[in-house]
């Protein structure tokens, strides 16, 4: 009957304490009230001891239960045993009464039910302890099964990934490697396990500076990445990118390190090849610029000696062409060499420089609005090239009657037009060298690449967005304004 009675752990403890308190009160009341007026003192003490004593024990056990090994949810089992003992004794009294028609005295009923309650308390406590051990064992079994499944899952993940994974102890001996790591270095896993990392590591963590080693091995839980060199079983050396982190420290052992390595030999070779190509390109650009400067200067010198009234239009075109070639050489050097080309900065008044650049743009129907006149530290020739490239870009894409605005930003300036704008998916591509939509008209894709590179050289942030009129707006921020007079 009591097994199906739903009683929470906390309620079970309160019921045990209530039963104990009830017998303490009942034992005191029956011994020292009118109910026991004809009893002798010895009988009073005997009844009090046999009724209140078990009650005190029951009360104390209920108070002490939270500090015992018994789980809280099993307190109700103890309470049910107490109630079961009382119910059984009351059932015996009822049977005797029905058979003999002799009713038991109040004192005898209290004595025997209190002792039955105490007996049930002992049996319930022992049962609850056994139940606690069974529940703990079952939870440990389930936890072990869960851990085993998680371990199998992680082992499957480790063996599935293409990157090499290793675990080493504090003395740099391999204690785990996956198949990918073994394949990278060309050894069997059995050969690697238990071997020192010097078997394959030519340059690794121990070759880094002490400061960097301390940072990589710091107990902050954050993985760190560094470059290393491994030697395969065939004697070949490969470049790898290693990411390492500390595993949680175990009580009996030192701290282990887990690492993930990726073969970056081909990537590094491509980078070195690209660097060599860039160096050759820089050298070629410098050589071409140098070789062009001399005939250009000679051509400009003789052009200045031509009589303007003989063929004024031809002289003007030749002079402008020479100036344009000179500008292209400057642009080419900035795009290919960056910082090495830009000379020392001087104060540049942006408004005047923008107007000078606009005067060199061949578009009489276009309009320029200059809404700023701040002064920055840069090279005036290159800033003028920047304005001219953006102005000509606006005329080319927005039309001959475009309106171009040069305005001020909180930390820089912008050049905007009222043309059709630039699609979102092309706003990063337009800055790439060689990108042009006017190849049929002689466009080389250097203009906006020069603009972006010059901004990078000066530490400006260059971005492309929509103007207030829906056209293109080139913004330059993080531009330091200078107070020096021009």
């Amino acid at each position: 009957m009591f097994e199906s009675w739903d009683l929470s752990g906390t309620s079970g403890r309160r019921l045990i304490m209530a039963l104990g308190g009830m017998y303490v009160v009942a034992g005191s009341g029956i011994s020292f009230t009118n109910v026991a007026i004809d009893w002798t003192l010895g009988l009073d003490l005997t009844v009090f001891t046999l009724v209140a004593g078990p009650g005190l024990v029951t009360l104390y056990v209920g108070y002490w239960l939270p500090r015992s090994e018994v789980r809280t949810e099993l307190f109700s089992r103890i309470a049910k045993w107490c109630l079961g003992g009382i119910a059984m004794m009351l059932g015996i009294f009822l049977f005797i009464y029905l058979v003999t028609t002799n009713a038991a005295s109040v004192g005898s009923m209290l004595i025997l039910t209190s002792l039955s309650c105490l007996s049930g308390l002992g049996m319930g406590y022992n049962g609850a302890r056994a139940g606690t051990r069974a529940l703990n064992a079952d939870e440990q079994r389930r936890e072990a099964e869960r851990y085993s499944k998680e371990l199998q899952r992680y082992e499957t993940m480790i063996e599935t990934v293409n990157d090499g994974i290793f675990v080493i102890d504090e003395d740099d001996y391999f204690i785990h490697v996956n198949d990918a790591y073994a394949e990278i270095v060309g050894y069997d896993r059995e050969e690697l396990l238990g071997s020192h990392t010097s078997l394959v590591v030519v340059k690794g963590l121990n070759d880094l500076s002490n400061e960097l080693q301390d940072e990589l091995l710091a107990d902050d839980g954050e993985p760190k990445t560094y470059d290393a060199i491994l030697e395969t079983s065939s004697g070949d050396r490969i470049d790898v990118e290693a990411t390492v982190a500390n595993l949680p420290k175990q009580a009996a052992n030192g701290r282990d390190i887990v690492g993930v390595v990726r073969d970056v030999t081909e990537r590094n070779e491509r980078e070195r090849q690209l660097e060599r190509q860039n160096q050759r390109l820089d050298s070629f650009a410098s050589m071409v610029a140098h070789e062009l400067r001399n005939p250009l200067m000679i051509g400009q010198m003789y052009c200045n000696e031509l009589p303007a009234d003989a063929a004024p239009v031809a002289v003007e075109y030749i002079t402008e062409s020479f100036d344009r070639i000179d500008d292209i050489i400057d642009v080419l050097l900035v795009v290919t060499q960056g910082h090495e080309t830009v000379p020392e900065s001087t104060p540049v008044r942006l408004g005047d420089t923008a107007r000078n650049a606009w005067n060199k743009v061949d578009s009489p129907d276009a309009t320029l609005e200059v809404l700023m006149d701040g002064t920055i530290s840069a090279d005036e020739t290159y800033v003028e090239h920047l304005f001219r490239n953006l102005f000509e870009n606006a005329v080319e894409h927005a039309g001959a009657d475009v309106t171009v605005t040069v305005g001020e930003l909180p930390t820089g300036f912008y050049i905007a037009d009222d043309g059709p704008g630039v699609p979102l998916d092309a706003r990063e591509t337009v800055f790439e060298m060689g990108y042009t939509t006017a190849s049929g008209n002689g466009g080389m894709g250097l203009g906006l690449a020069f603009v972006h590179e010059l901004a990078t050289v000066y530490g400006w942030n260059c971005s492309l967005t929509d103007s207030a009129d829906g056209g293109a707006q080139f913004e330059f921020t993080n531009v330091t304004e200078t107070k020096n007079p021009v």
Side-chain angles (χ1 to χ4, degrees), residues 438-458:
S439 57
N441 297 324
M444 296 183 294
L446 292 178
L448 294 184
F450 161 78
V451 169
H452 191 274
E453 182 63 29
L454 186 66
T456 302
V457 168
Y458 284 126

Side-chain angles (χ1 to χ4, degrees), residues 58-222:
T58 303
L59 184 63
Y60 173 75
V61 170
Y63 169 77
W64 170 79
L65 271 179
R67 286 169 290 280
S68 69
E69 64 178 295
V70 177
R71 296 168 62 118
T72 303
E73 61 266 29
L74 297 179
F75 291 171
S76 59
R77 180 179 296 183
I78 303 174
K80 292 175 182 178
W81 272 97
C82 293
L83 291 174
I86 295 172
M88 183 176 293
M89 185 54 64
L90 290 176
I92 292 174
F93 281 127
L94 179 60
F95 177 76
I96 294 173
Y97 174 76
L98 293 176
V99 172
T100 64
T101 66
N102 293 325
S105 65
V106 175
S108 61
M109 290 182 62
L110 288 175
I111 291 172
L112 293 176
T113 55
S114 67
L115 293 174
S116 299
C117 178
L118 184 61
S119 177
L121 178 69
M123 296 180 67
Y125 178 73
N126 288 329
R129 287 181 60 193
T132 296
R133 289 192 293 269
L135 288 175
N136 291 342
D138 186 58
E139 287 185 354
Q140 291 174 359
R141 179 186 57 78
R142 289 199 300 268
E143 181 66 19
E145 290 177 353
R146 186 192 66 80
Y147 178 78
S148 178
K149 291 180 181 178
E150 287 293 322
L151 185 60
Q152 291 177 358
R153 180 187 177 198
Y154 284 117
E155 287 180 348
T156 302
M157 292 170 59
I158 289 174
E159 296 302 331
T160 303
V161 296
N162 294 324
D163 294 335
I165 299 177
F166 66 88
V167 180
I168 58 175
D169 61 19
E170 59 181 351
D171 296 320
D172 294 340
Y173 285 90
F174 288 110
I175 58 178
H176 179 80
V177 294
N178 67 344
D179 288 336
Y181 187 88
E183 183 177 349
I184 288 174
V185 297
Y187 287 95
D188 293 333
R189 293 179 65 177
E190 291 73 17
E191 295 178 275
L192 292 171
L193 295 178
S195 300
H196 195 267
T197 55
S198 58
L199 176 66
V200 295
V201 177
V202 176
K203 178 184 177 183
L205 177 60
N206 293 330
D207 297 288
L208 303 176
S209 65
N210 292 334
E211 181 179 352
L212 187 53
Q213 287 186 49
D214 294 340
E215 180 182 349
L216 288 171
L217 299 179
D219 188 18
D220 57 4
E222 293 294 330

Side-chain angles (χ1 to χ4, degrees), residues 182-187 198-203 229-239 265:
E183 183 177 349
I184 288 174
V185 297
Y187 287 95
S198 58
L199 176 66
V200 295
V201 177
V202 176
K203 178 184 177 183
I229 299 176
L230 303 181
E231 185 174 77
T232 67
S233 59
S234 60
D236 297 329
R237 295 192 174 187
I238 58 175
D239 299 332
T265 305

Side-chain angles (χ1 to χ4, degrees), residues 12-26 51 54-56 58-59 78-84 86 114 117 121:
R13 175 174 173 256
R14 286 199 295 263
L15 180 57
I16 293 171
M17 295 181 67
L19 290 174
M22 179 188 71
Y23 280 111
V24 170
V25 172
V51 177
L56 286 171
T58 303
L59 184 63
I78 303 174
K80 292 175 182 178
W81 272 97
C82 293
L83 291 174
I86 295 172
S114 67
C117 178
L121 178 69

